Amino acid sequence: RMPVSVPAADRRQRSSAAFSLSFLALVFSVTAFSSSYWCEGMRKVAKPFCTGQTKGDHCIHFNSPDPNNSNAVQYVWETGDDKFVDRKFHAGIWYSCEEIINEKGEKCRSFISLTPAADRGVLWLSIVAEILYIILLLTGAVLMSAEMCYYRTVIDGLKINAFSAVVTVLAGLLGMVAHMMYTTVFQMTVNLGPEDWRPHTWDYGWSYCLAWASFACCMAAAVTTINKYTKTTLEFKHKRKTLERSLKIKYKFPDH
């Protein structure tokens, strides 16, 4: 009984590993898709005039104690970078947000509206590819769970296993294309986007890393599923050859 139970336990372990990786990829992709931290950085913004009781280094002061006096003469002593203040921003697929000077909170804008018109179609393709990526990941996870929980014969399990492997590989390819297209669109928006949005310095954020981690988990799940399918098929071929050999010996030397 050991040669029969050990492969079955091994197949179940591989199914559990593939499902766990696929589910992890799904969670990562949904989190990254709905967040706005694909890219983070700083924008240099000209300091506004100090009004009312506003004080500090984030605004330009008047030489008069009464800022509402129209006769007040403004002296700007700042030179170079002192005329500007750094403002943090973060952007995702759906919107871009930046902090408000001298106030709490953020001001958000649609990232699609910031994208140059020539690259807007590529961004929409990226969004569609991301949605299809999530749908295929969900389909693959459902198939893997169905294979783990219920199938009548090992042949049925192999059929589900093959289909889930194909779906997961397609999901990985779509995810890779979607991430690369968004990267291209963001870089074009940095160079050709609106003047009041272009960042001074920027880098990829945690959502971007999470999106690629999702892709890595997806491909790992696909490799595990294909490996399980191949190994199970080879086991069946080996058992079939062993059975055929035993039948030939039995019919060649029948028991009297």
Side-chain angles (χ1 to χ4, degrees):
R1 293 186 180 182
M2 285 299 292
V4 178
S5 60
V6 170
D10 182 64
R11 285 196 297 270
R12 187 164 294 277
Q13 287 178 357
R14 291 175 184 270
S15 298
S16 300
F19 173 76
S20 300
L21 288 168
S22 182
F23 183 76
L24 202 61
L26 179 63
V27 172
F28 285 173
S29 64
V30 171
T31 305
F33 185 65
S34 58
S35 68
S36 63
Y37 286 86
W38 285 61
C39 300
E40 301 177 72
M42 305 288 291
R43 287 190 60 237
K44 279 193 176 296
V45 182
K47 292 181 180 180
F49 299 142
C50 295
T51 57
Q53 296 181 349
T54 304
K55 296 181 180 180
D57 298 328
H58 297 300
C59 63
I60 298 174
H61 300 273
F62 288 86
N63 70 326
S64 171
D66 184 11
N68 297 320
N69 184 3
S70 59
N71 295 322
V73 180
Q74 174 201 351
Y75 289 96
V76 181
W77 297 103
E78 292 90 345
T79 58
D81 290 340
D82 292 335
K83 292 181 181 179
F84 299 92
V85 61
D86 291 331
R87 182 156 58 178
K88 294 180 182 178
F89 88 99
H90 54 89
I93 292 178
W94 296 107
Y95 49 90
S96 173
C97 298
E98 57 187 34
E99 64 180 355
I100 303 173
I101 300 177
N102 296 325
E103 294 181 21
K104 293 183 179 180
E106 294 179 327
K107 179 180 69 175
C108 296
R109 291 183 280 181
S110 170
F111 183 73
I112 299 172
S113 64
L114 299 171
T115 308
D119 300 310
R120 207 160 287 170
V122 181
L123 179 60
W124 279 112
L125 283 175
S126 174
I127 292 173
V128 171
E130 286 283 354
I131 293 173
L132 290 175
Y133 171 58
I134 292 173
I135 292 173
L136 288 176
L137 277 178
L138 179 61
T139 305
V142 170
L143 289 171
M144 290 175 189
S145 63
E147 181 196 357
M148 288 173 54
C149 299
Y150 173 78
Y151 56 85
R152 294 181 180 179
T153 62
V154 179
I155 300 299
D156 292 338
L158 272 177
K159 292 178 181 178
I160 297 174
N161 188 246
F163 191 55
S164 62
V166 172
V167 169
T168 309
V169 169
L170 287 176
L173 292 175
L174 272 173
M176 179 182 65
V177 172
H179 303 344
M180 293 176 67
M181 283 194 296
Y182 177 79
T183 304
T184 303
V185 170
F186 185 83
Q187 291 175 352
M188 293 300 294
T189 306
V190 169
N191 295 326
L192 303 174
E195 289 285 348
D196 63 341
W197 177 84
R198 294 182 193 177
H200 181 67
T201 58
W202 65 276
D203 201 354
Y204 297 109
W206 62 266
S207 296
Y208 187 81
C209 298
L210 204 63
W212 282 109
S214 170
F215 167 75
C217 290
C218 174
M219 296 311 296
V223 170
T224 305
T225 307
I226 294 171
N227 181 267
K228 175 180 177 294
Y229 177 82
T230 305
K231 190 172 182 180
T232 306
T233 305
L234 291 175
E235 286 175 0
F236 267 97
K237 288 182 179 179
H238 177 70
K239 288 180 181 179
R240 183 179 178 181
K241 288 181 180 179
T242 304
L243 181 62
E244 289 176 353
R245 193 180 297 112
S246 63
L247 287 174
K248 284 181 182 179
I249 295 173
K250 183 177 181 180
Y251 283 109
K252 189 174 182 179
F253 303 102
D255 296 333
H256 297 287

